[in-house]
């Protein structure tokens, strides 16, 4: 089965660390929503022989769309593709888009009615999973990152969302400059207090051409500390293990039965279709990506043209992808599959390159699968790059 990713390139404001494609102007939102629906129609033959298991609204901030716009796009998927009976439909959302602001003048019953209407409307669209970008429950962290919500809104959002949705993921960022391990522990404990069954957590990284990179260069914000990030990563693992979460991918933790089907498909090498500006697609043989420009994207789609570039993957590309995604997951890299898909020479190369990491206990082989150990998890991407075949 396959999945469809729909990129919504709009945000209320720019987070200082973000280098994803987005616009803070919503002027072209209506045009873009129609273009997304049209791209779904234009590309339906690519998945004519497969069943869609997941629909994922990412961004940007998909929660800036109205429920009518989300319903229109979901209906467009059903109109053009064969969809499984119970697909996972995920909406990435920011807390400030899911809660009702300016409620001081309202009665408790009025507030409850507004919340009920908002979340029930989302459920009626078919969305059954929320991925909420909290990032931190500490005000100073949110201000440093230039998030659109505050800590109170984050908690209010989760209090309400858990009343209407069972399948919720929460994003947290660690390694924030001038944060302490105690503050990070408080973030984790606060997240757990809401009974959330899935947590995605990422180290704060400094991407080129972001506001964060500029502030660090100018000395306005301290640089990220790799040792701090390493310590907080292991605090995260310990706390979530104790809370019954399974660490099924480098940045993802879930209670049993709550693995993200959409993201798991990426890591297991399944095909997916990326719709919208900057969205990537993969079919096992080639990778494609749309132009990172809303105006050009809309214009091309309206002319019945697909604004994308295609890369045909070489055997080495496929092998490298297999290693990278496998090492990030609980399943590891199947040595049997390496030999089956790529041949004996690739398997010999992999084992030779992995030997140093096995000796220093950062990798291990269990049930004929190459996996990272607890010691090696934090460095899994770097380890994977050393296992790549470059020629």
């Amino acid at each position: 089965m396959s999945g469809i990713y729909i990129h919504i390139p709009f945000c209320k404001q720019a987070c200082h660390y973000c280098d994803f494609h987005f616009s803070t102007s919503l002027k072209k939102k209506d045009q873009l929503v129609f273009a997304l629906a049209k791209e779904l129609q234009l590309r339906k033959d690519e998945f004519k022989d497969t069943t869609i298991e997941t629909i994922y609204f990412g961004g940007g901030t998909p929660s800036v769309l109205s429920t009518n716009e989300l319903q229109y796009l979901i209906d467009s998927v059903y109109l053009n593709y064969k969809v499984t009976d119970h697909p996972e439909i995920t909406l990435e959302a920011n807390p400030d888009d899911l809660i009702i602001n300016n409620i001081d003048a309202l009665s408790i019953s009025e507030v409850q009615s507004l919340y009920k209407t908002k979340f029930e409307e989302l459920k009626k669209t078919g969305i059954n999973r929320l991925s909420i970008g909290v990032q931190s429950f500490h005000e100073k962290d949110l201000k440093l990152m230039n998030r659109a919500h505050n800590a109170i809104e984050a908690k209010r959002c989760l209090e309400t969302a858990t009343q209407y949705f069972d399948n919720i993921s929460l994003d947290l960022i660690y390694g924030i400059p001038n944060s302490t391990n105690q503050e990070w522990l408080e973030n984790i404990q606060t997240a757990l207090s809401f009974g959330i069954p899935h947590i995605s957590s990422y180290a704060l990284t400094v991407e080129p051409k972001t506001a964060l990179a500029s502030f660090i260069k100018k000395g306005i914000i301290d640089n990220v500390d790799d040792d701090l990030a390493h310590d907080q990563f292991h605090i995260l693992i310990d706390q979530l293990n104790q809370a019954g979460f399974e660490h099924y991918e480098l940045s993802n933790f879930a209670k049993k039965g709550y693995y993200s089907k959409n993201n798991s498909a990426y890591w297991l090498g399944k095909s997916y279709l990326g719709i919208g500006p900057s969205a990537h697609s993969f079919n096992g043989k080639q990778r494609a990506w749309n132009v990172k420009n809303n105006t050009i994207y809309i214009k091309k789609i309206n002319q019945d043209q697909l604004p994308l570039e295609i890369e045909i993957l070489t055997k080495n590309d496929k092998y490298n992808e297999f290693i990278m995604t496998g090492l990030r997951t609980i399943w590891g890299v199947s040595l049997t599959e390496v030999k089956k898909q790529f041949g004996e020479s690739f398997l010999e190369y992999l084992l030779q390159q992995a030997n140093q990491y096995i000796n220093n206990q950062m990798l291990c082989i269990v049930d004929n699968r190459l996996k990272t150990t607890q010691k090696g998890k934090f460095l899994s991407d770097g380890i994977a790059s050393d296992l790549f075949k470059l020629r």
Side-chain angles (χ1 to χ4, degrees):
M1 292 188 179
S2 304
I4 292 179
Y5 170 86
I6 302 176
H7 188 79
I8 309 300
F10 299 110
C11 292
K12 287 180 178 177
Q13 63 189 51
C15 298
H16 288 161
Y17 57 87
C18 183
D19 70 339
F20 293 152
H21 172 68
F22 68 91
S23 170
T24 54
S25 170
L26 303 183
K27 290 180 180 178
K28 295 183 183 293
K29 183 164 71 76
D30 292 348
Q31 296 176 57
L32 193 125
V33 168
F34 285 115
L36 292 172
K38 188 166 186 179
E39 187 187 359
L40 283 165
Q41 187 272 324
L42 291 173
R43 300 182 68 179
K44 63 181 181 180
D45 287 345
E46 294 181 37
F47 276 22
K48 63 182 179 181
D49 297 322
T50 190
T51 300
I52 300 302
E53 187 179 27
T54 65
I55 303 169
Y56 192 100
F57 290 94
T61 312
S63 53
V64 300
L65 296 190
S66 68
T67 51
N68 286 338
E69 289 167 331
L70 291 167
Q71 185 71 70
Y72 172 64
L73 292 172
I74 292 170
D75 290 346
S76 295
V77 173
Y78 275 87
L79 180 65
N80 292 288
Y81 300 83
K82 180 182 177 182
V83 181
T84 190
D85 288 341
H86 302 287
E88 176 189 88
I89 305 180
T90 302
L91 176 74
E92 287 186 356
N94 280 350
D96 47 295
D97 291 325
L98 295 179
I99 56 103
I100 311 297
N101 291 303
N102 302 317
I103 62 174
D104 293 343
L106 301 179
S107 67
I108 293 176
S109 61
E110 287 173 325
V111 172
Q112 291 175 337
S113 177
L114 285 172
Y115 276 134
K116 180 178 180 181
T117 300
K118 191 175 185 73
F119 281 94
E120 286 187 344
E121 284 180 353
L122 279 177
K123 291 191 74 169
K124 286 178 182 177
T125 67
I127 291 168
N128 50 30
R129 183 174 184 271
L130 297 179
S131 177
I132 303 176
V134 171
Q135 315 309 356
S136 176
F137 292 100
H138 294 292
E139 209 63 56
K140 68 181 181 70
D141 295 342
L142 297 172
K143 289 179 179 178
L144 182 147
M145 293 184 283
N146 199 40
R147 295 293 291 170
H149 67 275
N150 60 42
I152 293 175
E153 289 172 334
K155 294 174 183 178
R156 188 191 303 160
C157 170
L158 293 173
E159 286 172 355
T160 309
T162 51
Q163 295 177 33
Y164 296 93
F165 285 84
D166 172 56
N167 197 352
I168 296 176
S169 179
L170 182 154
D171 283 1
L172 292 175
I173 290 179
Y174 58 90
I176 299 170
N178 299 315
S179 66
T180 67
N181 288 345
Q182 179 59 36
E183 289 170 340
W184 176 235
L185 185 60
E186 290 168 2
N187 265 335
I188 299 168
Q189 291 173 342
T190 301
L192 291 175
S193 71
F194 291 99
I196 302 297
H198 189 286
I199 292 177
S200 296
S201 191
Y202 309 90
L204 182 66
T205 55
V206 185
E207 301 294 347
K209 300 180 181 180
T210 60
L212 179 62
S214 176
F215 293 150
I216 290 174
K217 185 177 181 180
K218 294 175 181 177
I220 298 172
I221 294 175
D222 290 342
N223 203 350
V224 297
D225 183 336
D226 289 340
D227 290 335
L228 175 68
H230 178 271
D231 290 346
Q232 294 185 353
F233 176 70
H234 285 286
I235 290 171
L236 176 72
I237 292 175
D238 291 343
Q239 290 295 308
L240 295 188
N241 280 345
Q242 290 177 31
F245 283 72
E246 297 174 358
H247 190 187
Y248 73 104
E249 193 271 343
L250 179 64
S251 302
N252 288 272
F253 304 77
K255 292 288 185 72
K256 186 174 289 292
Y258 287 95
Y259 288 12
S260 166
K261 293 180 181 178
N262 175 81
N263 294 345
S264 295
Y266 292 162
W267 303 319
L268 294 173
K270 296 183 180 181
S271 298
Y272 56 89
L273 188 65
I275 301 296
S278 83
H280 284 60
S281 303
F282 173 76
N283 66 5
K285 299 179 181 178
Q286 64 185 35
R287 190 176 304 285
W289 56 93
N290 283 338
V291 63
K292 290 185 177 182
N293 184 293
N294 293 354
T295 301
I296 295 175
Y297 171 81
I298 292 168
K299 180 180 179 181
K300 292 289 187 181
I301 292 295
N302 287 339
Q303 294 172 345
D304 293 340
Q305 298 177 25
L306 295 177
L308 54 77
E309 295 183 47
I310 296 175
E311 174 191 15
I312 304 299
L313 300 177
T314 66
K315 190 174 184 179
N316 282 5
D317 292 334
K318 296 175 185 177
Y319 163 83
N320 293 343
E321 179 103 1
F322 190 78
I323 299 301
M324 174 64 81
T325 55
L327 276 190
R328 290 181 63 97
T329 71
I330 195 173
W331 306 289
V333 175
S334 168
L335 301 181
T336 302
E337 281 301 309
V338 171
K339 182 177 180 180
K340 179 181 177 181
Q341 294 186 34
F342 306 104
E344 184 71 37
S345 64
F346 277 78
L347 177 59
E348 291 177 357
Y349 175 83
L350 171 61
L351 293 174
Q352 180 183 24
Q353 294 299 108
N355 190 55
Q356 62 173 315
Y357 292 107
I358 293 174
N359 289 338
N360 65 20
Q361 299 181 331
M362 299 183 85
L363 291 178
C364 62
I365 297 176
V366 180
D367 296 331
N368 211 33
R369 289 178 174 271
L370 184 67
K371 300 182 178 183
T372 55
T373 62
Q374 193 79 342
K375 179 181 176 182
K377 281 185 188 296
F378 186 70
L379 301 174
S380 63
D381 285 349
I383 294 172
S385 67
D386 285 344
L387 308 182
F388 286 172
K389 211 167 193 329
L390 303 179
R391 60 180 180 177

